[in-house]
Amino acid sequence: MSDQHATPRRRGAARTDELLQVTLDLAAEVGYAGLNIEAVARRAGVGKHTIYRRWPSKAALLLDALSRVWTTDLDYHDTGDVRADLREQFLRSAPALSSPPIGPVYRGLIAEAQSDPALRATLHERFLLTVEKRTLDRITRAQHAGELVADVDLEFAAEVLCGTLYYRQLLSTRPIDENAVDDLLDMFMAAYRTTR
């Protein structure tokens, strides 16, 4: 008798979670260029159609896979001290951006997005805007608490804070270390800190 049906088939959310985890694991091993739908299907023990029913492309699959870890790994803590919270989050997110599973996959998607306007727009909407919004939310709460000057639009400041770190991580050979983060935050606080 065949043991083909010995393990029950996983459906719905459980199957989706399994496929996304397999995608992250495989992408960490072979990189963006080496990853393909067929390899994910083989590793997960499913047919290609199972994946294509949920995701139309490798990029779409990887974006969803990254979302599994991105949303929690890059959240801010709120201790009531905006500089300390920004510092903690930046120092925590730097290794996440440079190591598996996020780092290599994200760099591959960034490279692919340069010749794919739809992917570029999706990356911006799902990831960059999310990171900027979380930063803006945190510094806006600090503004309302009186830590930062009132009546100043902090949207561009949030973009600069995030953009500096992403530039260093994705395009520069310079590290995101404690000195870099402290220098960035010193500039931000000098510009926006209240004098109370």
Side-chain angles (χ1 to χ4, degrees):
M1 178 175 162
S2 169
D3 62 353
Q4 178 179 355
H5 300 291
T7 303
R9 291 184 176 272
R10 296 166 65 84
R11 299 281 183 204
R15 169 58 87 191
T16 297
D17 286 345
E18 180 184 4
L19 291 172
L20 293 174
Q21 187 58 54
V22 166
T23 301
L24 282 176
D25 294 344
L26 195 56
E29 293 173 23
V30 302
Y32 181 86
L35 187 72
N36 58 58
I37 298 289
E38 292 76 13
V40 173
R42 272 194 309 275
R43 175 75 61 93
V46 301
K48 290 186 296 184
H49 64 280
T50 299
I51 296 174
Y52 280 116
R53 270 200 308 265
R54 292 170 170 87
W55 300 279
S57 66
K58 174 173 79 169
L61 175 60
L62 280 168
L63 284 169
D64 277 357
L66 280 177
S67 292
R68 285 172 51 94
V69 288
W70 193 285
T71 54
T72 55
D73 284 358
L74 303 181
D75 280 346
Y76 280 93
H77 299 137
D78 190 340
T79 65
D81 180 340
V82 68
R83 189 188 191 286
D85 294 344
L86 290 168
R87 187 178 196 276
E88 187 277 334
Q89 198 277 348
F90 291 165
L91 290 175
R92 180 167 37 92
S93 65
L97 286 170
S98 62
S99 58
I102 294 177
V105 175
Y106 187 58
R107 283 193 299 273
L109 284 167
I110 290 284
E112 185 75 12
Q114 302 316 298
S115 58
D116 184 339
L119 176 58
R120 186 174 182 173
T122 302
L123 270 173
H124 183 250
E125 179 183 331
R126 288 185 61 182
F127 293 101
L128 296 177
L129 282 182
T130 298
V131 171
E132 288 173 20
K133 183 179 183 320
R134 288 179 183 168
T135 302
L136 179 60
D137 288 347
R138 180 62 195 93
I139 62 179
T140 299
R141 287 195 306 275
Q143 186 180 50
H144 293 158
E147 285 188 89
L148 304 177
V149 293
D151 301 323
V152 174
D153 185 351
L154 295 172
E155 189 170 350
F156 187 66
E159 183 179 349
V160 170
L161 284 169
C162 298
T164 301
L165 299 177
Y166 278 72
Y167 168 80
R168 276 207 172 204
Q169 186 59 54
L170 296 170
L171 297 171
S172 169
T173 59
R174 289 171 289 190
I176 303 174
D177 56 16
E178 291 191 21
N179 290 334
V181 169
D182 285 337
D183 288 348
L184 175 62
L185 294 178
D186 286 347
M187 288 182 7
F188 170 74
M189 295 303 289
Y192 295 103
R193 177 178 27 217
T194 58
T195 55
R196 64 185 176 123

Tab-separated table of all heavy atoms in Angstrom, residues 147-171:
chain	number	residue	atom	x	y	z
A	147	GLU	N	8.351	66.004	23.534
A	147	GLU	CA	9.786	65.729	23.368
A	147	GLU	C	10.362	66.452	22.151
A	147	GLU	O	11.541	66.805	22.133
A	147	GLU	CB	10.037	64.231	23.200
A	147	GLU	CG	9.931	63.402	24.448
A	147	GLU	CD	10.391	61.981	24.177
A	147	GLU	OE1	11.595	61.709	24.318
A	147	GLU	OE2	9.533	61.150	23.804
A	148	LEU	N	9.541	66.601	21.109
A	148	LEU	CA	9.978	67.243	19.868
A	148	LEU	C	9.139	68.484	19.627
A	148	LEU	O	7.997	68.581	20.095
A	148	LEU	CB	9.840	66.269	18.686
A	148	LEU	CG	10.564	64.932	18.824
A	148	LEU	CD1	10.288	64.042	17.616
A	148	LEU	CD2	12.066	65.127	18.996
A	149	VAL	N	9.708	69.432	18.889
A	149	VAL	CA	9.032	70.706	18.679
A	149	VAL	C	7.669	70.511	18.026
A	149	VAL	O	7.479	69.631	17.191
A	149	VAL	CB	9.896	71.659	17.823
A	149	VAL	CG1	11.140	72.085	18.573
A	149	VAL	CG2	10.253	71.026	16.483
A	150	ALA	N	6.730	71.339	18.442
A	150	ALA	CA	5.371	71.276	17.913
A	150	ALA	C	5.286	72.022	16.585
A	150	ALA	O	6.193	72.763	16.205
A	150	ALA	CB	4.402	71.881	18.929
A	151	ASP	N	4.178	71.808	15.890
A	151	ASP	CA	3.857	72.558	14.671
A	151	ASP	C	4.931	72.404	13.590
A	151	ASP	O	5.203	73.340	12.833
A	151	ASP	CB	3.634	74.048	14.980
A	151	ASP	CG	2.507	74.250	15.974
A	151	ASP	OD1	1.513	73.492	15.887
A	151	ASP	OD2	2.628	75.135	16.834
A	152	VAL	N	5.553	71.251	13.528
A	152	VAL	CA	6.513	70.941	12.465
A	152	VAL	C	6.074	69.628	11.837
A	152	VAL	O	5.754	68.672	12.543
A	152	VAL	CB	7.950	70.795	13.032
A	152	VAL	CG1	8.910	70.330	11.955
A	152	VAL	CG2	8.412	72.098	13.641
A	153	ASP	N	6.030	69.590	10.503
A	153	ASP	CA	5.696	68.361	9.796
A	153	ASP	C	6.922	67.447	9.837
A	153	ASP	O	7.993	67.798	9.327
A	153	ASP	CB	5.304	68.684	8.353
A	153	ASP	CG	4.833	67.457	7.593
A	153	ASP	OD1	4.965	66.320	8.111
A	153	ASP	OD2	4.339	67.627	6.467
A	154	LEU	N	6.778	66.285	10.438
A	154	LEU	CA	7.904	65.371	10.622
A	154	LEU	C	8.003	64.293	9.528
A	154	LEU	O	8.842	63.410	9.620
A	154	LEU	CB	7.790	64.691	11.992
A	154	LEU	CG	7.911	65.615	13.202
A	154	LEU	CD1	7.592	64.847	14.477
A	154	LEU	CD2	9.308	66.220	13.275
A	155	GLU	N	7.164	64.384	8.503
A	155	GLU	CA	7.150	63.344	7.473
A	155	GLU	C	8.505	63.226	6.763
A	155	GLU	O	9.021	62.131	6.564
A	155	GLU	CB	6.036	63.628	6.464
A	155	GLU	CG	5.821	62.484	5.498
A	155	GLU	CD	4.553	62.661	4.661
A	155	GLU	OE1	3.756	63.572	4.955
A	155	GLU	OE2	4.386	61.886	3.721
A	156	PHE	N	9.090	64.355	6.383
A	156	PHE	CA	10.378	64.307	5.700
A	156	PHE	C	11.477	63.821	6.646
A	156	PHE	O	12.370	63.072	6.246
A	156	PHE	CB	10.741	65.678	5.121
A	156	PHE	CG	11.968	65.650	4.273
A	156	PHE	CD1	11.995	64.965	3.070
A	156	PHE	CD2	13.123	66.295	4.681
A	156	PHE	CE1	13.143	64.919	2.285
A	156	PHE	CE2	14.276	66.270	3.908
A	156	PHE	CZ	14.283	65.578	2.707
A	157	ALA	N	11.389	64.210	7.904
A	157	ALA	CA	12.370	63.742	8.891
A	157	ALA	C	12.338	62.221	9.000
A	157	ALA	O	13.387	61.564	9.082
A	157	ALA	CB	12.106	64.383	10.242
A	158	ALA	N	11.144	61.637	8.988
A	158	ALA	CA	11.027	60.175	9.056
A	158	ALA	C	11.661	59.534	7.828
A	158	ALA	O	12.353	58.509	7.935
A	158	ALA	CB	9.557	59.776	9.167
A	159	GLU	N	11.443	60.133	6.664
A	159	GLU	CA	12.038	59.605	5.431
A	159	GLU	C	13.557	59.673	5.484
A	159	GLU	O	14.249	58.734	5.084
A	159	GLU	CB	11.505	60.381	4.221
A	159	GLU	CG	12.004	59.848	2.900
A	159	GLU	CD	11.456	60.620	1.717
A	159	GLU	OE1	10.529	61.441	1.897
A	159	GLU	OE2	11.967	60.412	0.604
A	160	VAL	N	14.093	60.779	5.991
A	160	VAL	CA	15.553	60.927	6.089
A	160	VAL	C	16.135	59.929	7.087
A	160	VAL	O	17.168	59.299	6.820
A	160	VAL	CB	15.925	62.379	6.472
A	160	VAL	CG1	17.406	62.480	6.821
A	160	VAL	CG2	15.572	63.330	5.329
A	161	LEU	N	15.479	59.762	8.230
A	161	LEU	CA	15.965	58.805	9.223
A	161	LEU	C	16.045	57.396	8.626
A	161	LEU	O	17.078	56.723	8.730
A	161	LEU	CB	15.043	58.792	10.449
A	161	LEU	CG	15.166	59.964	11.410
A	161	LEU	CD1	14.013	59.952	12.408
A	161	LEU	CD2	16.507	59.940	12.139
A	162	CYS	N	14.977	56.956	8.002
A	162	CYS	CA	14.958	55.618	7.413
A	162	CYS	C	15.878	55.529	6.196
A	162	CYS	O	16.626	54.561	6.036
A	162	CYS	CB	13.537	55.246	6.998
A	162	CYS	SG	12.375	55.190	8.357
A	163	GLY	N	15.818	56.539	5.353
A	163	GLY	CA	16.585	56.518	4.114
A	163	GLY	C	18.080	56.434	4.341
A	163	GLY	O	18.801	55.753	3.601
A	164	THR	N	18.562	57.099	5.368
A	164	THR	CA	19.993	57.063	5.666
A	164	THR	C	20.448	55.644	5.964
A	164	THR	O	21.470	55.175	5.455
A	164	THR	CB	20.304	57.978	6.867
A	164	THR	OG1	19.901	59.303	6.552
A	164	THR	CG2	21.785	57.953	7.209
A	165	LEU	N	19.675	54.947	6.765
A	165	LEU	CA	20.043	53.581	7.124
A	165	LEU	C	19.918	52.634	5.936
A	165	LEU	O	20.774	51.770	5.733
A	165	LEU	CB	19.185	53.106	8.291
A	165	LEU	CG	19.333	53.932	9.572
A	165	LEU	CD1	18.398	53.424	10.644
A	165	LEU	CD2	20.773	53.915	10.069
A	166	TYR	N	18.865	52.789	5.145
A	166	TYR	CA	18.693	51.916	3.982
A	166	TYR	C	19.777	52.181	2.937
A	166	TYR	O	20.264	51.259	2.287
A	166	TYR	CB	17.292	52.081	3.386
A	166	TYR	CG	16.273	51.261	4.120
A	166	TYR	CD1	15.864	51.621	5.398
A	166	TYR	CD2	15.741	50.112	3.571
A	166	TYR	CE1	14.950	50.858	6.103
A	166	TYR	CE2	14.831	49.339	4.260
A	166	TYR	CZ	14.443	49.721	5.534
A	166	TYR	OH	13.548	48.960	6.224
A	167	TYR	N	20.151	53.435	2.766
A	167	TYR	CA	21.236	53.764	1.843
A	167	TYR	C	22.523	53.060	2.269
A	167	TYR	O	23.203	52.435	1.462
A	167	TYR	CB	21.439	55.278	1.796
A	167	TYR	CG	22.714	55.678	1.094
A	167	TYR	CD1	22.778	55.718	-0.297
A	167	TYR	CD2	23.867	55.991	1.811
A	167	TYR	CE1	23.957	56.059	-0.944
A	167	TYR	CE2	25.042	56.336	1.176
A	167	TYR	CZ	25.081	56.367	-0.203
A	167	TYR	OH	26.250	56.694	-0.833
A	168	ARG	N	22.864	53.193	3.537
A	168	ARG	CA	24.085	52.535	4.028
A	168	ARG	C	24.019	51.024	3.837
A	168	ARG	O	24.991	50.403	3.434
A	168	ARG	CB	24.295	52.844	5.506
A	168	ARG	CG	24.996	54.149	5.730
A	168	ARG	CD	25.761	54.150	7.025
A	168	ARG	NE	26.566	55.361	7.072
A	168	ARG	CZ	27.666	55.484	7.785
A	168	ARG	NH1	28.101	54.482	8.511
A	168	ARG	NH2	28.340	56.601	7.781
A	169	GLN	N	22.866	50.443	4.131
A	169	GLN	CA	22.747	48.990	4.076
A	169	GLN	C	22.761	48.459	2.651
A	169	GLN	O	23.395	47.449	2.363
A	169	GLN	CB	21.462	48.547	4.770
A	169	GLN	CG	21.340	47.042	4.886
A	169	GLN	CD	22.490	46.450	5.651
A	169	GLN	OE1	22.783	46.854	6.760
A	169	GLN	NE2	23.187	45.500	5.069
A	170	LEU	N	22.076	49.140	1.746
A	170	LEU	CA	21.883	48.602	0.406
A	170	LEU	C	22.922	49.059	-0.602
A	170	LEU	O	23.193	48.347	-1.569
A	170	LEU	CB	20.487	48.968	-0.102
A	170	LEU	CG	19.334	48.353	0.690
A	170	LEU	CD1	18.014	48.962	0.252
A	170	LEU	CD2	19.314	46.848	0.521
A	171	LEU	N	23.504	50.235	-0.415
A	171	LEU	CA	24.363	50.793	-1.460
A	171	LEU	C	25.771	51.124	-1.015
A	171	LEU	O	26.651	51.297	-1.848
A	171	LEU	CB	23.707	52.068	-2.030
A	171	LEU	CG	22.356	51.854	-2.710
A	171	LEU	CD1	21.700	53.179	-3.024
A	171	LEU	CD2	22.534	51.024	-3.972
